[in-house]
């Protein structure tokens, strides 16, 4: 990320540049956090000048995956410069409770993702467990969308709601793409609107 990108986002009215933070296992978690903080420190003047924030989203796998990890990375920054993007699907896969995740990031949260996943077991019960994340619709999520909305209301959240529209392909290979996602996305949008009273 550089000032040209930040300036372009500011001009286009894009207030948040969302990123995930992969952990470089060659240097480890703590050193990875320091590398990102140095990058953020250098970008603060440009973020201020152009009215843009970097939004850190938690992500499963070898990335900063939970709310506590995101807070650890960004707690020294003003949320107008570096803020949180909470994705409860990734928290749910990791077993982080919704109320706890929202509480941890309450004063830094500017974007809330609504998508759904669970850990699908690929091996038989008698074999060593192997799991794969399966992306699905709201009713099959490893967390409750209703609870997520209630927790966001409790903290007075007034940021953006985002539906990333990720749904696993039935073949087990990759994601559904293009028009394939529309029936699932329509159902999820309708469900979220109902929860929000719209």
């Amino acid at each position: 990320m550089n000032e040209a990108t930040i300036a372009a986002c500011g001009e286009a009215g894009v207030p948040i540049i969302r990123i995930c933070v992969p952990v470089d296992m060659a240097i480890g978690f703590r050193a990875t956090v320091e590398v990102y903080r140095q990058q953020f420190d250098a970008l603060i003047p440009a973020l201020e000048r152009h009215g843009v924030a970097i939004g850190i989203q938690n992500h499963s796998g070898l990335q900063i995956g939970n709310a506590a990890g995101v807070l650890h990375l960004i707690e020294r920054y003003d949320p107008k410069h570096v803020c949180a993007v909470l994705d409860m699907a990734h928290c749910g896969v990791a077993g982080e409770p919704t109320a706890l995740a929202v509480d941890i990031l309450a004063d830094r949260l500017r974007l809330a993702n609504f998508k759904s996943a669970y850990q699908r077991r690929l091996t038989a019960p008698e074999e060593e467990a192997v799991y794969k994340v399966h992306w699905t619709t709201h009713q099959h999520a490893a967390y409750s969308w209703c609870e997520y909305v209630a927790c966001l209301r409790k903290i007075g959240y007034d940021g953006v709601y985002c539906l990333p529209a990720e749904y696993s392909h039935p073949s087990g290979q990759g994601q559904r793409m293009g028009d394939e996602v529309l029936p699932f996305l329509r159902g999820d949008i309708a469900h979220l609107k109902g929860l929000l009273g719209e």
Side-chain angles (χ1 to χ4, degrees):
M1 188 178 322
N2 54 37
E3 182 158 5
T5 302
I6 293 166
C9 288
E11 266 184 51
V14 176
I16 299 173
I17 300 171
R18 181 193 64 91
I19 67 168
C20 298
V21 178
V23 176
D24 181 348
M25 293 305 292
I27 62 172
F29 176 81
R30 290 179 184 88
T32 297
V33 165
E34 286 311 311
V35 167
Y36 274 88
R37 286 176 177 166
Q38 289 169 15
Q39 293 172 10
F40 299 158
D41 291 345
L43 292 171
I44 296 296
L47 295 167
E48 177 70 29
R49 236 183 335 270
H50 301 288
V52 175
I54 299 170
I56 309 302
Q57 182 202 303
N58 61 299
H59 198 284
S60 55
L62 292 175
Q63 303 197 47
I64 293 183
N66 59 23
V70 171
L71 179 62
H72 176 67
L73 173 63
I74 71 173
E75 61 188 339
R76 68 167 67 165
Y77 299 102
D78 187 319
K80 74 177 183 179
H81 298 138
V82 183
C83 63
V85 176
L86 182 56
D87 192 311
M88 277 309 305
H90 292 291
C91 293
V93 164
E96 185 174 33
T98 303
L100 178 60
V102 173
D103 178 68
I104 288 168
L105 294 175
D107 61 345
R108 298 168 187 279
L109 187 59
R110 289 186 54 193
L111 196 150
N113 278 359
F114 280 79
K115 62 185 183 192
S116 302
Y118 62 88
Q119 291 274 21
R120 182 176 177 192
R121 185 169 177 144
L122 301 179
T123 52
E126 298 78 20
E127 298 173 18
E128 184 174 352
V130 175
Y131 293 91
K132 182 177 181 179
V133 175
H134 182 83
W135 297 97
T136 184
T137 52
H138 67 273
Q139 64 266 47
H140 303 294
Y143 72 100
S144 163
W145 284 34
C146 183
E147 182 187 6
Y148 192 18
V149 167
C151 290
L152 292 171
R153 282 194 175 124
K154 183 177 177 183
I155 64 164
Y157 176 73
D158 63 355
V160 175
Y161 292 80
C162 176
L163 281 84
E166 293 183 33
Y167 305 98
S168 292
H169 195 274
S171 68
Q173 303 299 314
Q175 304 285 331
R176 293 178 187 269
M177 301 298 287
D179 289 349
E180 267 190 299
V181 306
L182 294 179
F184 304 100
L185 181 57
R186 284 188 191 104
D188 280 348
I189 290 171
H191 182 66
L192 181 56
K193 282 185 170 182
L195 293 174
L196 296 173
E198 294 181 6

